[in-house]
Amino acid sequence: MATPTAPGNTSASQSQIGHDQVICTLYEGDFHLGVAVLINSIVTGGFRGLFWVGNRGDLPPWTTQLTRREDGLFEIGDALLGFETIDSTSHFAQFKPEFMCSLIDKGIARKHIWYFDPDITVRCGWEFFERWVRFGVGLCQEITMGIMASNHPLRCEWVELVRAAGWGEPFLQQERYYNSGFVGMNIEHQAFLDTWKAAQHLANAAGVKQDHFQKGSREETFYTVDQDTMNIAAMYAQVPLTTLGPEGMGFITGGFTMHHTVGLTKPWRKKFLLSALDGRPPSGGDKYFLQCASGPLHPFTPGQLKRKRLSAQWATLIGRFFRRF
């Protein structure tokens, strides 16, 4: 369940905040730092719609910098920002399709909706994302097991489960495996989200707990649960897809759309010099995160940001002479 009327959060019913373009994300703990920089990267690219953030806990401290309207929304240049307290016990990874559906069903998203994980930054002008979703549900290929044949044994196990549930045969045979950190679509393609939710219910019925992000190891039928079930939706939802390769999230060179800093050590946590001395210099995503951290939202003090950038510069220099391969 989602609770938009919790103290300090925007009330969807009171603010009449339906927008044609809605970007949503979910966070808890220190991931609010990623949310701020994600928003910075998108606002500087020309976005003028509504950011809608689902959270557990208090509002981020950086919201005190912002002007708050009578309807509870915060102003960020020409864009708006609202928060919604989430009281679901599901892991946020498993909550993504339900969250997106709720924003459509409540009329918050009236035309287009995008979900970004809070460890993503956007590299290009927002106008590209508007053009992208004209062609279907936008997805990006994963780098780990990004090639997953239509007859891959794990995919065949998914088909067995789905067939037993009465879904029939796949609508689209897939040869690639997609990352669930980004989804963009016109709301007329909500069937993709409905299918994703239904696939998660199948995974839960098969023994995956709702509060888990991953289960066991990759040999399991369901491992990274939200991602596996989203890939089932990519097979069964009767909607068009429009996809990028792993360059779309900066996993390989040649991309221009996003950086996705996957892994446990996020840019806001990383000790850049120690990592460089261990042979792991700052990634392109790390450096772009710091580039976007200076505004319009300010998740770090000027001193903190200066020290982080200086540390990353020295770490980059070290990385020219020493790195793990």
Side-chain angles (χ1 to χ4, degrees):
M1 294 288 292
T3 308
T5 55
N9 285 252
T10 307
S11 169
S13 60
Q14 292 175 354
S15 55
Q16 302 297 315
I17 44 131
H19 278 257
D20 286 349
Q21 295 197 38
V22 174
I23 293 172
C24 62
T25 191
L26 293 158
Y27 87 89
E28 56 188 326
D30 68 352
F31 276 78
H32 73 85
L33 298 169
V35 171
V37 177
L38 167 66
I39 291 173
N40 284 350
S41 71
I42 295 173
V43 168
T44 56
F47 179 73
R48 291 180 173 82
L50 173 68
F51 294 98
W52 195 260
V53 179
N55 68 297
R56 293 188 177 118
D58 297 331
L59 292 182
W62 44 261
T63 57
T64 59
Q65 310 162 10
L66 303 175
T67 299
R68 194 169 194 176
R69 308 190 323 176
E70 290 184 359
D71 60 8
L73 295 176
F74 295 94
E75 296 178 349
I76 310 174
D78 293 326
L80 296 171
L81 168 65
F83 289 87
E84 177 173 343
T85 298
I86 307 298
D87 57 18
S88 170
T89 58
S90 295
H91 192 285
F92 269 168
Q94 293 198 46
F95 190 65
K96 294 175 188 178
E98 181 177 342
F99 184 52
M100 294 180 73
C101 281
S102 73
L103 301 188
I104 297 172
D105 294 342
K106 291 185 291 192
I108 295 175
R110 296 188 306 210
K111 187 174 182 181
H112 296 126
I113 185 168
W114 294 265
Y115 173 86
F116 292 85
D117 274 350
D119 55 358
I120 288 177
T121 46
V122 169
R123 302 162 65 184
C124 62
W126 184 249
E127 188 260 347
F128 174 80
F129 285 83
E130 296 175 353
R131 287 160 38 210
W132 186 1
V133 295
R134 291 186 298 129
F135 304 109
V137 176
L139 301 173
C140 287
Q141 185 180 343
E142 174 62 275
I143 187 65
T144 304
M145 281 188 64
I147 300 298
M148 191 182 201
S150 59
N151 60 358
H152 190 287
L154 291 176
R155 202 183 288 276
C156 290
E157 288 187 323
W158 299 344
V159 171
E160 282 184 333
L161 282 171
V162 169
R163 189 180 289 142
W167 289 23
E169 300 306 308
F171 176 68
L172 290 172
Q173 292 290 348
Q174 295 290 345
E175 304 293 336
R176 297 195 292 172
Y177 181 82
Y178 300 103
N179 186 288
S180 61
F182 166 81
V183 182
M185 67 180 67
N186 189 303
I187 65 169
E188 68 184 17
H189 296 142
Q190 186 178 350
F192 182 86
L193 301 176
D194 295 333
T195 308
W196 188 1
K197 284 197 303 180
Q200 288 196 161
H201 294 157
L202 289 179
N204 298 146
V208 177
K209 294 182 179 180
Q210 290 183 318
D211 60 352
H212 282 192
F213 171 53
Q214 292 180 325
K215 180 180 184 292
S217 63
R218 181 60 279 187
E219 67 192 64
E220 301 280 349
T221 304
F222 294 104
Y223 174 48
T224 304
V225 185
D226 65 313
Q227 205 152 266
D228 287 351
T229 52
M230 190 196 76
N231 278 273
I232 292 176
M235 297 164 63
Y236 284 89
Q238 297 188 27
V239 298
L241 303 181
T242 172
T243 63
L244 297 180
E247 80 285 349
M249 288 187 169
F251 296 145
I252 61 174
T253 58
F256 61 90
T257 50
M258 289 172 272
H259 281 298
H260 191 178
T261 52
V262 295
L264 294 176
T265 308
K266 302 303 180 185
W268 56 89
R269 298 173 181 163
K270 186 170 287 188
K271 307 296 184 183
F272 291 108
L273 285 173
L274 290 177
S275 293
L277 292 172
D278 192 40
R280 293 174 288 113
S283 67
D286 293 332
K287 290 183 277 190
Y288 191 67
F289 176 90
L290 295 177
Q291 179 181 326
C292 296
S294 56
L297 300 179
H298 300 279
F300 306 107
T301 66
Q304 288 174 328
L305 184 57
K306 183 178 180 179
R307 288 191 294 273
K308 286 180 180 293
R309 286 176 168 172
L310 185 60
S311 174
Q313 289 170 2
W314 280 108
T316 299
L317 180 62
I318 292 171
R320 293 179 181 176
F321 304 98
F322 173 61
R323 67 170 60 216
R324 293 179 185 271
F325 291 97

